[in-house]
Amino acid sequence: MLNPSAYSLTHLQWKDLLVSEGHSSHVLSFWLDGLYKNPELWARHVSQDLIQNLKAKFNFDLPTISKTQESEDGTVKFLVRFHDEMEVETVLIPFHKRFTVCLSTQVGCGMNCSFCYTGTQGLKRNLTAGEIVGQYLVAMNWLKAKNNLALNPSIVFMGQGEPLHNLTEVSQAIKVLNDTKLIGVGHRQMTLSTVGYLPGLKNLKDFPSINFALSLHSPFEEQRAKLIPVNERFPLSEVLPALDQIPLLKRQFITYEYLLIKDFNMSDEHVEGLHTLLGHRKAILNLIPFNPFPGSKWERPGIEEIESFKEKLVAKKLRVMVRTTKGDDILAACGQLKVNKFARNNGIY
Ligand SMILES: C[S@@+](CC[C@H](N)C(=O)[O-])C[C@H]1O[C@@H](n2cnc3c(N)ncnc32)[C@H](O)[C@@H]1O
Ligand code: SF4
């Protein structure tokens, strides 16, 4: 069996491990600087015995990048490959001079949403904490190699997979990513998007206090279930109260993501329904124009339809944003890089 990843431990866990083996905190800091910054430091400051001992216990390999696509707007999409040849997508999204890194949490996804390419693949396996952190590190290394230092990057858990269906590993990855002695991305710089996986939402007691987003997509249970089959098991009537339990700071909101689908979920009844659900909540409504993929049965609305829907929601005093679709020229929506590969392999392009 593969050893656990060296990128799955927090500073404190490394400390406990090294101290229990009789090493000083001085060695610990050189060890971690070597691990995260420059392994050459080990040769000068860490004994060969310790290096060999830890190399026998941990896997030090980062995942590799098997494909990179750069968009004209600066969005970069990586296909990241793990030790067992499984692959996920990791996306770097530029925002002014900063970057948001979109991380995957599973290979495929078991939630089977009808609008999502990942959902059509089924769940292959969960990613480990080290593999989730590894995606972040390879994306940052890629930027560094381009002499581009990402200042205060943000992280969104919005790649492939349902993060709350892999709660333990995602929680541990967040602890490592947040650890100021290792990587140091602030909790407020991280957002986890969930389809409303209730067993996860009800089990957030010890989960790091990052931002949360719900994939809402319709205010009506029956219609939402057509998009998100797990709504049958975990209906909005139970998911929304569970989200209400998440403690929020003064200027912190829950984001409700709303896919815009032509002739489906953009009527005046939907405006009313959204107002009823969100009007009294600390909510930001994030409108996301649907990104079609080969074989998808839904259509993306036109700009005028989007603007008109947004204006009606704003008139209801809801806080509304329209997500700018980044990386359109490289199909940077969820699952789309794999679509390219899939399509090529199947002779579609
Ligand atoms: C890929 S999911 C991953 C996080 C989590 N599983 C969820 O559903 O919230 C992240 C976001 O991408 C959205 N998404 C999936 N397929 C899409 C598509 N074809 N076009 C636009 N957004 C899509 C989802 O609705 C969700 O809001
Ligand atoms: S939208 Fe999220 S939950 Fe649904 S299939 Fe895609 S990744 Fe899974």
Side-chain angles (χ1 to χ4, degrees):
M1 220 178 84
L2 195 73
N3 285 333
S5 165
Y7 305 98
S8 62
L9 268 65
T10 60
H11 176 266
L12 196 62
Q13 288 168 323
W14 278 118
K15 186 174 171 191
D16 287 348
L17 183 76
L18 265 64
V19 168
S20 74
E21 298 195 4
H23 299 283
S24 70
S25 53
H26 197 58
V27 170
L28 171 73
S29 69
F30 282 121
W31 171 255
L32 291 178
D33 277 355
L35 182 63
Y36 277 91
K37 294 182 192 142
N38 180 8
E40 283 170 19
L41 286 172
W42 288 341
R44 273 181 273 143
H45 301 282
V46 182
S47 74
Q48 273 304 317
D49 277 358
L50 179 60
I51 295 171
Q52 293 316 322
N53 174 5
L54 292 175
K55 280 197 169 170
K57 288 187 180 142
F58 293 98
N59 170 21
F60 287 78
D61 295 335
L62 283 174
T64 54
I65 295 175
S66 62
K67 185 176 166 101
T68 307
Q69 280 186 296
E70 287 179 65
S71 157
E72 279 167 13
D73 66 20
T75 303
V76 189
K77 191 156 189 168
F78 306 105
L79 199 55
V80 173
R81 182 177 293 170
F82 302 108
H83 66 96
D84 57 358
E85 312 282 298
M86 292 278 183
E87 292 177 324
V88 296
E89 293 164 15
T90 306
V91 186
L92 266 175
I93 306 151
F95 183 69
H96 298 292
K97 286 191 174 155
R98 297 171 56 184
F99 278 94
T100 296
V101 193
C102 176
L103 300 178
S104 293
T105 54
Q106 298 180 313
V107 186
C109 182
M111 302 296 135
N112 200 19
C113 301
S114 63
F115 54 86
C116 173
Y117 181 68
T118 305
T120 65
Q121 301 170 43
L123 175 64
K124 307 257 172 56
R125 71 169 174 87
N126 278 335
L127 293 183
T128 63
E131 288 171 331
I132 297 168
V133 174
Q135 291 171 67
Y136 176 86
L137 293 175
V138 293
M140 289 300 127
N141 287 346
W142 185 90
L143 275 181
K144 244 185 256 162
K146 298 246 166 197
N147 287 325
N148 194 341
L149 283 183
L151 298 173
N152 302 323
S154 304
I155 292 174
V156 291
F157 296 95
M158 294 190 188
Q160 292 169 351
E162 168 49 44
L164 296 187
H165 194 213
N166 185 15
L167 195 68
T168 310
E169 296 299 317
V170 171
S171 170
Q172 178 64 16
I174 292 170
K175 287 176 188 155
V176 176
L177 290 162
N178 175 248
D179 197 319
T180 47
K181 293 197 165 120
L182 302 180
I183 297 175
V185 179
H187 278 161
R188 296 295 301 277
Q189 262 59 59
M190 295 192 221
T191 303
L192 180 153
S193 171
T194 177
V195 75
Y197 186 70
L198 205 52
L201 278 175
K202 286 190 167 167
N203 202 8
L204 292 179
K205 196 166 64 65
D206 299 319
F207 200 81
S209 51
I210 64 169
N211 304 308
F212 281 84
L214 174 75
S215 291
L216 180 60
H217 305 338
S218 172
F220 306 124
E221 303 273 15
E222 225 173 279
Q223 190 183 40
R224 188 171 185 265
K226 288 194 177 131
L227 298 170
I228 303 172
V230 296
N231 192 78
E232 301 275 5
R233 278 161 65 206
F234 313 129
L236 280 179
S237 59
E238 293 178 39
V239 166
L240 294 176
L243 272 175
D244 291 341
Q245 299 302 310
I246 296 175
L248 297 175
L249 298 172
K250 205 168 172 204
R251 285 198 200 88
Q252 197 176 18
F253 299 84
I254 302 280
T255 300
Y256 293 85
E257 295 157 293
Y258 196 87
L259 213 57
L260 299 175
I261 303 176
K262 190 175 161 60
D263 300 330
F264 186 72
N265 63 354
M266 299 174 68
S267 70
D268 289 350
E269 286 73 41
H270 290 93
V271 174
E272 281 302 329
L274 286 169
H275 180 243
T276 306
L277 283 192
L278 303 182
H280 60 290
R281 292 189 150 94
K282 279 186 85 183
I284 292 182
L285 188 57
N286 193 355
L287 305 179
I288 312 171
F290 171 65
N291 265 304
F293 53 88
S296 60
K297 58 179 174 182
W298 311 107
E299 273 183 64
R300 183 178 186 147
I303 294 187
E304 277 176 20
E305 214 182 321
I306 295 174
E307 273 307 308
S308 146
F309 188 61
K310 181 188 159 187
E311 288 313 317
K312 289 176 190 169
L313 292 162
V314 171
K316 292 276 183 192
K317 304 226 176 333
L318 293 172
R319 299 173 198 87
V320 190
M321 298 163 44
V322 180
R323 184 183 292 176
T324 47
T325 44
K326 291 261 186 184
D328 265 3
D329 54 323
I330 57 165
L331 295 167
C334 165
Q336 304 287 298
L337 186 70
K338 285 222 160 166
V339 168
N340 277 352
K341 204 174 169 187
F342 166 87
R344 246 193 353 264
N345 292 343
N346 288 279
I348 295 171
Y349 296 124

